[in-house]
Amino acid sequence: MVRVSLTDVPVRVPVRGRRRRSTGRGQPPPIPWPPPDSRGTSAPPPRALVVLLGAAAAVVVLAGLRAVAWLAGPVFLALVVVITLDPVRTWLRGKGLPRWLTVAVLVATVYTALLAVFVVVVVSLAQLSAVLPRYATRIDALLRDGLTVLGVGPQQVRDLLTSVDAGKLAGLAASLLAGVGSLVTNLAFLLALLLFLGTESAWAGQRLGRIARDRPWISAALRRFATGTRTYLLVTTVFGGLVAALDTAALAVLGIPGSVLWGLLAFVTNYVPNVGFVIGVAPPAVLALLDGGWRPMVVVLVVYSLLNFVVQSLIQPRFVAGSVGLSTLVTVLALVFWTWLLGPLGAVLAVPATLLAKALLVDVDPRAGWADALLSAPGRE
């Protein structure tokens, strides 16, 4: 009789419906893992949900920025000034000046320019306040004639004046004084920011170099923002100074009071895209109407229109279009948006703020080429 034990019989272990031979070492073969099921992987969220979540996050961020507009506006203005003056700092460093001396020279230059502007504004306003009382009779006559044209009678005018509450006028005067105090506080805060940011700008190149080693596209976007902002502000400053000088000379020839103040206003409003001309021409036109009637006002409007059309519409865009590259519609919408978000300072910083937002949200993402095509001016390649 032949005895057969179980160890002499090869054992076949079924593996997931297939027959496999033993490894010969008394161990069952490993169980193979099934291929990954595509239904088990997490699918991307719906695009509509992504858009809604992004819009909700944007609303929260914008609400926070508007709440701290008193801080965000001056900080960004100081940053723009430091970026614009950075080539001067680099040039001074190339001449062998130490880092602390270059920063001190730049800060002193900016402080002197702001102090000069402040003195000009104060002196011009003082001169204007001494001249305005003599126009009181003229203002009453113009208001009476205008209301008569609109069909408002003298009795209705008297009723309107008697209905004015003196307490409300006092409250309005108090709010204006508070606004002046806030302006002085913001100016002092801006001067302090310029000092600290000017000191930190000495190491900006090193920090961008460190960013470039890890995220080169972010460094390239930030450098592009700095170059575009610097070119835009330099060109706008040069042409704004030219327009302001021409406007001041024209107003002085016409005998309009406060010509230096209105020229300075034209210089500042040159930074407001598209509608700055309207803001700059309104006060001297009204003053020309009070001083000489309709004819001087028309002359002021014509002179301002010609100067701004030739300089700001024909010459300036040829120099600034390559650095900004934003379409006209985008600049108009940016002006409205940043003014709403940051106040009057946002109107001046509309283009630089848009360039920064574009650098952080569009230029750093290779997949956002479609957004760059929508924001850019036609013909930009």
Side-chain angles (χ1 to χ4, degrees):
M1 173 180 282
V2 180
R3 296 181 178 271
V4 180
S5 64
L6 293 177
T7 57
D8 297 332
V9 181
V11 180
R12 299 179 182 271
V13 181
V15 179
R16 294 192 179 273
R18 295 188 301 171
R19 294 181 177 271
R20 293 201 174 190
R21 295 183 179 181
S22 173
T23 58
R25 298 180 181 178
Q27 298 293 333
I31 300 176
W33 293 101
D37 189 2
S38 61
R39 294 173 297 179
T41 59
S42 58
R47 184 169 296 273
L49 180 60
V50 174
V51 171
L52 290 176
L53 292 177
V59 169
V60 173
V61 172
L62 294 179
L65 281 177
R66 192 176 184 188
V68 295
W70 60 272
L71 175 63
V75 167
F76 187 68
L77 176 60
L79 176 64
V80 167
V81 172
V82 170
I83 289 175
T84 305
L85 297 178
D86 186 69
V88 180
R89 182 193 62 81
T90 305
W91 180 77
L92 292 176
R93 286 285 294 163
K95 294 297 182 179
L97 272 71
R99 182 179 285 113
W100 67 268
L101 185 57
T102 59
V103 173
V105 169
L106 289 181
V107 172
T109 303
V110 174
Y111 281 15
T112 304
L114 290 177
L115 181 61
V117 171
F118 183 76
V119 170
V120 170
V121 170
V122 170
V123 173
S124 300
L125 287 177
Q127 295 175 351
L128 191 62
S129 62
V131 173
L132 284 180
R134 73 183 187 185
Y135 296 124
T137 305
R138 181 65 175 169
I139 293 174
D140 293 339
L142 288 175
L143 288 177
R144 189 180 303 109
D145 295 340
L147 293 175
T148 302
V149 172
L150 296 176
V152 180
Q155 183 62 35
Q156 293 174 330
V157 175
R158 285 192 293 268
D159 295 340
L160 178 63
L161 294 177
T162 55
S163 63
V164 176
D165 188 3
K168 293 181 179 180
L169 293 179
L172 178 60
S175 64
L176 290 177
L177 291 177
V180 173
S182 176
L183 179 61
V184 174
T185 303
N186 290 335
L187 182 60
F189 181 56
L190 176 62
L191 295 178
L193 286 174
L194 286 173
L195 175 62
F196 292 114
L197 286 177
T199 305
E200 289 294 326
S201 66
W203 290 272
Q206 298 179 5
R207 292 173 178 174
L208 286 177
R210 293 177 59 184
I211 294 175
R213 290 195 296 267
D214 189 34
R215 298 288 190 274
W217 56 91
I218 297 180
S219 177
L222 293 177
R223 291 181 185 276
R224 184 178 178 182
F225 155 71
T227 303
T229 300
R230 187 180 303 119
T231 305
Y232 167 76
L233 288 179
L234 289 178
V235 173
T236 305
T237 301
V238 170
F239 285 100
L242 177 61
V243 170
L246 295 176
D247 289 340
T248 302
L251 293 176
V253 171
L254 294 174
I256 306 300
S259 57
V260 176
L261 177 62
W262 309 133
L264 182 60
L265 178 63
F267 174 75
V268 174
T269 56
N270 187 60
Y271 293 97
V272 181
N274 302 315
V275 299
F277 159 71
V278 179
I279 302 173
V281 74
V286 173
L287 199 58
L289 175 63
L290 297 176
D291 189 65
W294 294 100
R295 185 175 179 179
M297 186 187 72
V298 173
V299 173
V300 170
L301 291 176
V302 171
V303 170
Y304 265 68
S305 301
L306 289 177
L307 291 176
N308 282 267
F309 177 76
V310 173
V311 177
Q312 297 180 350
S313 299
L314 297 181
I315 302 177
Q316 182 174 339
R318 296 179 179 272
F319 292 90
V320 77
S323 61
V324 177
L326 300 175
S327 65
T328 305
L329 177 61
V330 171
T331 55
V332 172
L333 295 178
L335 174 64
V336 176
F337 172 76
W338 291 109
T339 304
W340 166 81
L341 188 65
L342 299 178
L345 191 58
V348 178
L349 299 174
V351 173
T354 304
L355 292 178
L356 179 60
K358 180 175 177 292
L360 297 178
L361 301 178
V362 178
D363 295 341
V364 298
D365 189 357
R367 300 171 298 178
W370 60 272
D372 183 72
L374 293 177
L375 296 174
S376 303
R380 180 185 173 212
E381 297 294 340

